């Protein structure tokens, strides 16, 4: 981290860290669409409305990529950055991976209709809701880290506590994933449907795991 006397060098210094919040918005919306898509698949089967949700995730991915390119193409020289450049680029990659995982999860929903028993359907919804919770917690952790790094506002311990909350929430996703896989194998469904559910929940897990990875990188940024 640069000393305070150097933090205000360069007109673009203010752009790239707040830009992470711009990039986060389509990512968070993608998680909400994943929840909507799963409910639609379970209740109505894939139809025109479901295909609209799939296309919206593609639009969000294009929007997120556009923001990511803008941020990366306008970075100041590494020695003027208030955080390590490698850490910063790794963060943008991991946050982008959340939306990539959403796209893949929706793709597996779209491959074949679900005839899931009610307990299994509920377990799928819980797994997605827990992952949505992980990504939602990332917003406050990211906003707090940006304010602390750029302006020295807020309490370091409070910001780190938000990152710990993300890790704790991700553990709930891990537990939900294991429970869902066990329920799928015990459901008596044909293997093709069981495999479809397992692949779906794997990408849901990856979305949450990447959010946890983002929290780890934020903590590393603050430590430098």
């Amino acid at each position: 981290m640069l000393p305070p006397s150097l933090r205000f060098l360069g007109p673009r210094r203010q752009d790239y860290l707040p830009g992470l919040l711009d990039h986060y918005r389509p990512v968070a919306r993608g998680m909400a669409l994943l929840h909507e898509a799963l409910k639609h698949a379970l209740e109505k089967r894939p139809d025109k409305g479901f295909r609209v949700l799939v296309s919206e995730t593609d639009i969000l991915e294009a929007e997120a990529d556009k923001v990511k390119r803008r941020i990366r193409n306008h970075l100041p020289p590494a020695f003027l950055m208030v955080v390590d450049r490698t850490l910063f680029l790794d963060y943008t990659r991991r946050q982008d991976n959340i939306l990539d995982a959403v796209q893949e999860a929706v793709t597996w929903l779209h491959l074949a209709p679900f005839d899931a028993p009610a307990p299994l359907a509920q377990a799928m919804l819980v797994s997605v809701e827990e992952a949505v919770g992980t990504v939602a917690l990332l917003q406050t952790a990211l906003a707090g880290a940006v304010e602390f790094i750029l302006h020295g506002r807020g309490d370091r311990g409070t910001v780190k506590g938000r990152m710990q909350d993300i890790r704790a929430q991700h553990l709930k996703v891990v537990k939900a994933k294991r429970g869902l896989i066990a329920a799928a194998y015990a459901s008596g469904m044909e293997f093709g449907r069981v495999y479809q559910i397992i692949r779906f929940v794997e990408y849901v897990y990856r979305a949450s795991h990447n959010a946890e990875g983002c929290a780890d990188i934020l903590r590393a940024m603050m430590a430098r």
Side-chain angles (χ1 to χ4, degrees), residues 127 130-131 134 169-177 204-205 208:
S127 69
E130 297 290 12
T134 309
Q169 179 63 29
H170 178 62
L171 289 177
K172 296 180 182 180
V173 177
V174 174
K175 183 178 179 180
K177 173 190 172 184
V204 172
Y205 163 84
S208 178

Side-chain angles (χ1 to χ4, degrees), residues 18-185:
L20 296 178
L21 290 164
D22 296 334
H23 182 262
Y24 171 85
R25 293 185 186 99
V27 171
R29 177 57 184 153
M31 291 299 296
L33 285 178
L34 174 60
H35 189 257
E36 292 179 36
L38 175 59
K39 290 175 64 177
H40 205 97
L42 291 172
E43 296 172 3
K44 303 178 181 178
R45 309 271 180 97
D47 57 8
K48 183 177 180 180
F50 183 85
R51 291 192 292 273
V52 169
L53 292 173
V54 173
S55 66
E56 285 187 29
T57 61
D58 293 335
I59 292 171
L60 288 172
E61 171 62 20
E63 179 184 341
D65 281 344
K66 183 177 179 180
V67 175
K68 183 177 70 173
R69 287 194 301 271
R70 172 177 63 79
I71 295 170
R72 289 186 168 191
N73 291 341
H74 293 85
L75 288 177
F79 73 92
L80 286 179
M81 292 183 66
V82 296
V83 296
D84 179 84
R85 187 186 186 95
T86 301
L87 287 175
F88 181 85
L89 293 175
D90 193 24
Y91 183 94
T92 62
R93 178 182 62 82
R94 281 189 174 268
Q95 190 163 269
D96 199 59
N97 284 348
I98 298 172
L99 198 48
D100 290 341
V102 168
Q103 283 188 297
E104 292 296 333
V106 171
T107 297
W108 280 94
L109 280 180
H110 189 52
L111 287 180
F114 280 113
D115 275 323
L120 186 57
Q122 182 60 31
M124 293 178 71
L125 287 168
V126 168
S127 69
V128 172
E129 288 165 0
E130 297 290 12
V132 169
T134 309
V135 177
L137 289 172
L138 180 60
Q139 180 181 21
T140 54
L142 174 58
V146 169
E147 280 295 301
F148 184 84
I149 293 169
L150 283 182
H151 308 296
R153 296 174 186 162
D155 177 70
R156 181 189 292 268
T158 299
V159 179
K160 287 184 176 180
R162 292 170 181 165
M163 298 169 190
Q164 184 59 43
D165 291 341
I166 293 173
R167 296 189 191 97
Q169 179 63 29
H170 178 62
L171 289 177
K172 296 180 182 180
V173 177
V174 174
K175 183 178 179 180
K177 173 190 172 184
R178 293 171 180 168
L180 178 54
I181 290 175
Y185 274 111

